[in-house]
Amino acid sequence: MINCLLCLQPVKQAASWESSWLFSEEVLCCTNCLVGFEKLTGPLCNMCSKESSDEFCKDCQGRELYLNRNRSLYQYNDFAKEYMKRFKFQGDYIIGAIFQKELKKYFAASKMTIVPIPVSGARKLERGFNQTTAILKQSDLRYQEFLAKKHSEKQSKKTKRERLETEQVFYLSEEIGSSEKEIILFDDIYTTGSTLNLAAQVLKESGVKKVSSLTIFR
Ligand SMILES: [Zn+2]
Ligand SMILES: [Zn+2]
């Protein structure tokens, strides 16, 4: 018997050999929990994946970004917020595995080098892990840690938000080979896009031609 990673209830295993084979491959979460995550169905903004009936949403119209395109899988609804709280802040490492099937599928199709958004060394010590590399590791995906993040002192909310938009917090942690033409950044949540854009800036200034991103939530 396997238990759902999120609610810990036993998951019913179907009887046929075919479904039990599928089960052992991918199912880590019961259907009750799975429906809590709402897929982004669209129509979506061509740039940032926000629900939008126009080709580009209002946030993206006229905005010049280093990031070429973002795609996200699920809405950042209350269920997703609870999930992230448990995973990131309460350190429930194991639940980072539940998106592995979709991530494998998505990245297999893209064939680009995956670069996770880093956390600063101090943040990593505090939490015990970086949530983005934790998810990739548990999905059996290979990635390159080309980027590192400076640790910034906590400041008042307003200044912090302003600084987040513009101040470069990332730097190259290793030389990027000239063969790296296209990179896909991976992060847990897309909110304003400024984090991903700053990361894309560092990569582009190091000669990468195209930088897109995938996030679990949007
Ligand atoms: Zn469950
Ligand atoms: Zn947009």
Side-chain angles (χ1 to χ4, degrees):
M1 184 64 83
I2 290 175
N3 295 77
C4 169
L5 279 185
L6 290 181
C7 67
L8 308 179
Q9 293 299 309
V11 184
K12 279 197 202 88
Q13 203 161 348
S16 83
W17 66 270
E18 194 182 6
S19 48
S20 59
W21 175 78
L22 277 175
F23 187 92
S24 63
E25 280 289 292
E26 284 142 355
V27 178
L28 298 165
C29 186
C30 76
T31 43
N32 281 347
C33 289
L34 271 184
V35 295
F37 296 112
E38 290 173 82
K39 279 210 161 148
L40 286 163
T41 47
L44 303 175
C45 168
N46 218 354
M47 166 58 215
C48 74
S49 252
K50 184 179 180 169
E51 289 186 332
S52 161
S53 47
D54 296 320
E55 190 184 357
F56 296 102
C57 75
K58 287 194 175 63
D59 300 345
C60 291
Q61 284 170 20
R63 194 177 177 198
E64 291 264 352
L65 292 171
Y66 292 97
L67 186 70
N68 291 90
R69 196 172 101 141
N70 174 69
R71 283 291 166 265
S72 303
L73 300 174
Y74 294 97
Q75 288 180 34
Y76 195 42
N77 61 12
D78 289 342
F79 191 78
K81 283 175 192 160
E82 273 305 308
Y83 167 83
M84 282 311 296
K85 196 169 117 195
R86 199 171 137 186
F87 175 52
K88 206 156 133 177
F89 300 109
Q90 296 169 4
D92 194 353
Y93 182 85
I94 192 80
I95 65 173
I98 65 172
F99 301 106
Q100 57 174 246
K101 184 181 165 187
E102 276 157 299
L103 292 176
K104 273 184 191 158
K105 200 170 128 193
Y106 188 90
F107 286 121
S110 88
K111 295 218 168 63
M112 287 184 255
T113 302
I114 306 169
V115 175
I117 292 294
V119 294
S120 69
R123 194 69 70 233
K124 198 172 164 183
L125 273 180
E126 195 176 282
R127 277 188 206 142
F129 60 87
N130 170 5
Q131 69 274 10
T132 55
T133 54
I135 293 173
L136 293 173
K137 257 184 217 158
Q138 294 188 72
S139 304
D140 238 341
L141 288 159
R142 293 182 57 181
Y143 53 85
Q144 292 282 345
E145 290 181 272
F146 285 141
L147 295 171
K149 191 180 181 197
K150 295 174 205 162
H151 184 62
S152 51
E153 296 302 318
K154 282 180 182 148
Q155 294 191 4
S156 80
K157 262 199 171 140
K158 195 182 169 201
T159 14
K160 197 180 168 195
R161 199 193 305 146
E162 281 167 2
R163 289 181 335 137
L164 274 175
E165 293 289 332
T166 52
E167 192 188 299
Q168 186 52 267
V169 286
F170 300 109
Y171 59 94
L172 273 194
S173 57
E174 55 180 288
E175 195 83 7
I176 299 185
S178 55
S179 60
E180 301 288 355
K181 298 274 181 271
E182 290 189 23
I183 277 174
I184 182 158
L185 291 164
F186 175 69
D187 205 0
D188 46 6
I189 309 159
Y190 183 110
T191 37
T192 63
S194 58
T195 300
L196 286 159
N197 196 49
L198 289 170
Q201 181 182 9
V202 173
L203 296 172
K204 285 215 164 153
E205 286 171 357
S206 316
V208 179
K209 295 281 173 286
K210 193 180 162 201
V211 182
S212 54
S213 60
L214 177 75
T215 72
I216 308 257
F217 301 114
R218 172 75 177 92

